Amino acid sequence: MLKGQNIVLGVCGSIAAYKSALLVRLLVKAQANVQIIMTPDAVNFITPLTLSVLSKNPVLVDSFDSKSGVWTNHVELGLWADALIIAPISANSLAKISNGLCDNLLTAVYLSARCPVYFAPAMDLDMWAHPSTQTNVKQLLSYGNKLIAPANGELASGLEGEGRMAEPEEIVQYLSNTLLETNAPLSGKKVLITAGPTYEAIDPVRFIGNHSSGKMGFALAEVFQKLGAKVTLISGPTSLSTPNCVSRINITSAAEMLQACSENFEEADILIMSAAVADYRPKEVAADKIKKDEDSLILDLEKTTDILKTLGAKKRENQIIVGFALETTNELANAEAKLKRKNLDLIILNSLKDEGAGFAGDQNKITTIDSSGNKQTFDLKSKVEVAKDIAQEVLSLLSKKQ
């Protein structure tokens, strides 16, 4: 996302200015065009020469160079930039820009910028916690600027607490993600995805479950996040790591998944139910571990609530609901019936009969069916590639609803 982007990096007077060197390298490595502006105090912490070599551009400090007689046009810089990042920003510069003070080149460019502005504070913990600093931060946020919050740790003063500038890698990742949200096809959309199995307790140590790994749902969460969506992932028990910038809610049982889905469904633009939710659960859960006293054990089971059908009945006109159907017989007929019965826009059919596809593997083979009866069968692919195919189907449906 940063390739070819014009980035103005503002560097203020702070010991954290040494991190700016690594930040510049990362931005250049990402193929961004980097123009650095330093405040007069910043040159006491890191030399303009260092940052100039790393950025491959002259570093700007003053609006007017008395030796060359050249004036730096702050308006042009503000218009040139696709993003302005001030990292580190000191308490002094934070106060200046939040109140519209303009006494150096960086503050002048800030006031001229029409692009997104990001600020990464660096200061001692008491300065950061001071009410005046917090008021200035709120003021900047109210203007639409984006805060890259300081971290907690050892500070230059020797104290421990909040005030460390975010690490350069975190800043670049945050910048990439937010620019992606701005330019991506699902920017501003909220996507709710379920993944993994549910475990239905028999007693304190045993449960009824299934072989779902959650890999398909996690792949979907990753792909939809990269398309700019704000993704909430509701996951049953799994050892998988949460994809970057995805909000995760962990659940165990079908009842917990129903509650989590119900709480988040109303705000969702798109719901994708890829979880393998248990259809039945024990009617009664033993308070103590069941002993192996008998040769057989009879469990009285009851149906769990059909989450997809429940939410399908509440679907708004502009919402999209995607369901999954894992079938072993009469695959197409059963999937089409499920699509209609549960008021879905799209159903993803996969079969345990397809070699290489299934629960625990890294591949899947799907057929998609939409509410108009259109069908498309895909080859066996990695689950990430399958997720991309599903995303394209959803984008097509979304364009028809808008």
Side-chain angles (χ1 to χ4, degrees):
M1 282 307 301
L2 296 181
K3 183 178 180 180
Q5 296 288 312
N6 297 329
I7 308 295
V8 171
L9 173 62
V11 180
C12 300
S14 165
I15 189 64
Y18 77 91
K19 292 184 178 181
S20 300
L22 178 55
L23 178 55
V24 173
R25 290 204 63 166
L26 292 172
L27 290 170
V28 171
K29 188 176 181 180
Q31 301 181 58
N33 305 311
V34 183
Q35 175 60 66
I36 298 167
I37 303 174
M38 302 178 73
T39 63
D41 282 341
V43 300
N44 296 317
F45 294 91
I46 187 170
T47 67
L49 176 61
T50 298
L51 297 180
S52 176
V53 170
L54 293 172
S55 67
K56 301 178 175 61
N57 283 312
V59 170
L60 305 174
V61 179
D62 299 312
S63 298
F64 178 74
D65 187 338
S66 57
K67 292 182 180 179
S68 64
V70 174
W71 173 66
T72 301
N73 191 327
H74 59 274
V75 175
E76 287 185 358
L77 279 169
L79 295 174
W80 174 83
D82 294 310
L84 167 61
I85 315 167
I86 309 178
I89 186 168
S90 62
N92 183 48
S93 292
L94 192 67
K96 285 181 181 180
I97 66 171
S98 66
N99 289 283
L101 299 182
C102 181
D103 64 350
N104 58 48
L105 179 59
L106 178 58
T107 53
V109 171
Y110 165 75
L111 288 177
S112 302
R114 296 182 184 178
C115 61
V117 177
Y118 305 79
F119 61 104
M123 62 196 73
D124 206 62
L125 75 166
D126 293 317
M127 297 173 72
W128 172 247
H130 197 280
S132 61
T133 301
Q134 292 304 308
T135 298
N136 291 333
V137 169
K138 291 176 183 176
Q139 187 77 352
L140 283 177
L141 292 174
S142 73
Y143 298 153
N145 300 317
K146 300 181 185 299
L147 167 66
I148 304 175
N152 200 299
E154 184 179 354
L155 303 170
S157 65
L159 298 175
E160 291 269 347
E162 197 171 26
R164 288 172 59 94
M165 187 181 100
E167 294 304 315
E169 295 86 354
E170 296 171 348
I171 293 173
V172 171
Q173 184 63 57
Y174 182 85
L175 180 63
S176 297
N177 290 338
T178 52
L179 287 176
L180 178 64
E181 289 174 4
T182 302
N183 300 305
L186 289 177
S187 176
K189 299 294 183 183
K190 294 182 179 180
V191 179
L192 183 62
I193 299 173
T194 68
T198 65
Y199 290 170
E200 309 304 322
I202 297 172
D203 63 20
V205 297
R206 301 180 180 91
F207 61 85
I208 298 172
N210 56 62
H211 296 297
S212 175
S213 64
K215 289 179 180 179
M216 190 69 252
F218 277 64
L220 285 162
E222 179 181 346
V223 167
F224 274 84
Q225 189 279 325
K226 287 181 178 179
L227 288 171
K230 183 177 180 181
V231 178
T232 298
L233 176 64
I234 302 174
S235 175
T238 176
S239 60
L240 298 175
S241 299
T242 309
N244 288 336
C245 302
V246 169
S247 176
R248 179 172 173 176
I249 300 171
N250 290 319
I251 58 90
T252 300
S253 67
E256 290 173 353
M257 181 165 282
L258 172 62
Q259 180 179 348
C261 287
S262 298
E263 290 173 352
N264 290 274
F265 176 66
E266 188 174 344
E267 291 187 352
D269 298 292
I270 301 163
L271 168 67
I272 304 176
M273 289 285 292
S274 67
V277 183
D279 295 319
Y280 293 90
R281 65 184 172 212
K283 202 167 187 177
E284 293 184 5
V285 179
D288 299 309
K289 180 183 175 183
I290 299 172
K291 298 296 183 183
K292 294 189 292 184
D293 295 332
E294 304 293 336
D295 291 334
S296 63
L297 175 66
I298 297 175
L299 293 175
D300 190 8
L301 302 179
E302 64 180 2
K303 268 192 173 184
T304 58
T305 302
D306 189 326
I307 301 174
L308 197 50
K309 187 176 181 180
T310 300
L311 298 179
K314 300 177 181 178
K315 184 177 71 171
R316 300 191 309 272
E317 181 67 25
N318 60 346
Q319 280 182 310
I320 290 175
I321 299 184
V322 180
F324 276 68
L326 179 64
E327 302 292 342
T328 57
T329 58
N330 300 321
E331 287 98 338
L332 278 173
N334 287 333
E336 289 175 326
K338 184 176 182 179
L339 174 77
K340 294 175 183 177
R341 187 172 67 252
K342 301 190 179 185
N343 194 26
L344 309 181
D345 297 278
L346 183 71
I347 194 159
I348 313 300
L349 168 64
N350 45 37
S351 171
L352 286 177
K353 293 181 179 180
D354 291 325
E355 186 177 351
F359 273 140
D362 295 320
Q363 295 179 309
N364 207 353
K365 186 175 186 297
I366 66 167
T367 296
T368 62
I369 310 169
D370 67 22
S371 55
S372 298
N374 300 308
K375 303 179 183 68
Q376 187 171 359
T377 299
F378 296 85
D379 295 330
L380 182 70
K381 299 181 180 182
S382 72
K383 288 185 175 176
V384 171
E385 291 303 314
V386 171
K388 292 177 181 178
D389 289 334
I390 294 171
Q392 289 305 311
E393 294 282 304
V394 170
L395 286 170
S396 177
L397 290 173
L398 195 62
S399 66
K400 294 173 183 177
K401 290 209 174 193
Q402 291 177 340

